Amino acid sequence: MLKPVHSQNLTHWAERVDMAAAFRWTVRLNMYEAVANHFSLAVNDDGPQFLMNPNQRHFNRIKASDLLLLDANDGTTMDHPEAPDSTAWGLHGSVHRACPHARCVMHVHSIHATVLASLADSTLPPIDQNTATFFNRYVIDNSFGGLAFEDEGARCASMLSDPKIKVMIMGNHGVLVIGDSVADTFNRLYYFERAAETYIRALQTGQPLRILSDEIAEKTAQELADYPGQAERHLNELKAILDHENSDYAS
């Protein structure tokens, strides 16, 4: 299924453009890490065929035409000269293989999410609207087992079987966010990093936290989940800015 970049049949163009915009904006938010981290997007109904960034390509250089088209069920993928990063294949391939509801998967080591993942208690309490967004919608992985090769990736994927869970706080590692589309997932990734930053900064004051009740936190989370069109408008605005700057992301 993997096709070398120079001979790809460039299907799923709109999805590629959305992915490329998300990579570029992740750099602007300083949520990238050198040439590591990975985003993927399922492009068939049951999920195992997906687009993903090429191996060791800086997010700020990724274009729509660069994305690899992979099949999570193709056991020969890592034998190809244009094979993806082995940890990306282990983690994202495992998620797309096991969790068809995870249409888009974004994994980063962004600063504040990683600080949260480094705490002995990585719980994100609902102390404002953004943190409440994730109330009862994340899972904490307390069993970090090293780089996310296939066994570790499969273990992580097993924790995402509940479609209500949209975020994995990867203890000692970073964060993994899933969603229905690039826009949905990137919007969630953006707000999770903001939420983690708010919480970390609140802890730094040393003052008691004003924590919302479970009832209000759940009400807020559901209201935000039902809020129409925000994720799509967010990504469209980012693409409009990139287009205005004559960025080559959509090439």
Side-chain angles (χ1 to χ4, degrees):
M1 188 68 191
L2 184 149
K3 300 179 181 180
V5 172
H6 65 269
S7 63
Q8 281 184 347
N9 176 16
L10 298 183
T11 56
H12 316 293
W13 187 252
E15 293 88 345
R16 289 171 175 273
V17 169
D18 284 354
M19 289 276 283
F23 285 119
R24 299 294 182 96
W25 211 264
T26 299
V27 173
R28 297 202 185 190
L29 296 173
N30 195 29
M31 291 168 59
Y32 71 106
E33 186 165 78
V35 292
N37 298 165
H38 319 95
F39 296 172
S40 60
L41 177 69
V43 293
N44 66 330
D45 290 342
D46 55 350
Q49 294 178 18
F50 61 97
L51 298 170
M52 191 166 69
N53 45 310
N55 189 14
Q56 308 296 306
R57 187 75 54 84
H58 196 285
F59 280 16
N60 208 38
R61 295 183 59 235
I62 293 176
K63 299 184 290 188
S65 58
D66 292 331
L67 298 177
L68 300 175
L69 179 59
L70 308 173
D71 189 329
N73 296 319
D74 181 358
T76 70
T77 293
M78 296 307 297
D79 298 331
H80 290 263
E82 298 288 346
D85 174 76
S86 54
T87 61
W89 174 249
L91 182 60
H92 291 252
S94 294
V95 174
H96 286 297
R97 196 177 300 118
C99 305
H101 60 277
R103 299 298 296 172
C104 185
V105 182
M106 296 186 175
H107 169 55
V108 295
H109 303 160
S110 53
I111 294 169
H112 295 95
T114 304
V115 169
L116 179 63
S118 302
L119 301 179
D121 180 0
S122 295
T123 302
L124 181 67
I127 59 172
D128 77 328
Q129 183 168 291
N130 288 345
T131 51
T133 301
F134 301 98
F135 184 72
N136 285 338
R137 287 157 176 80
Y138 66 85
V139 63
I140 300 170
D141 177 15
N142 290 313
S143 301
F144 175 70
L147 296 183
F149 298 120
E150 288 206 47
D151 288 347
E152 179 74 353
R155 185 189 65 76
C156 291
S158 71
M159 301 179 69
L160 295 169
S161 59
D162 181 354
K164 186 177 180 180
I165 300 300
K166 303 295 188 181
V167 175
M168 176 184 287
I169 300 171
M170 306 175 77
N172 307 105
H173 189 169
V175 65
L176 184 145
V177 179
I178 65 174
D180 299 330
S181 65
V182 175
D184 177 50
T185 310
F186 183 78
N187 193 61
R188 183 170 295 113
L189 177 67
Y190 170 84
Y191 278 105
F192 188 83
E193 180 67 8
R194 296 273 293 191
E197 180 176 5
T198 297
Y199 176 51
I200 297 304
R201 289 179 179 267
L203 290 179
Q204 289 172 341
T205 70
Q207 298 296 310
L209 300 176
R210 187 194 300 269
I211 300 177
L212 296 171
S213 69
D214 288 0
E215 178 184 5
I216 295 300
E218 177 59 36
K219 178 176 182 289
T220 303
Q222 192 58 54
E223 287 172 343
L224 288 165
D226 295 339
Y227 199 86
Q230 185 195 51
E232 291 75 17
R233 292 176 183 177
H234 183 190
L235 184 62
N236 284 340
E237 285 297 298
L238 302 184
K239 290 191 292 184
I241 294 169
L242 291 169
D243 291 340
H244 181 72
E245 296 171 349
N246 294 317
S247 169
D248 64 353
Y249 79 102
S251 60

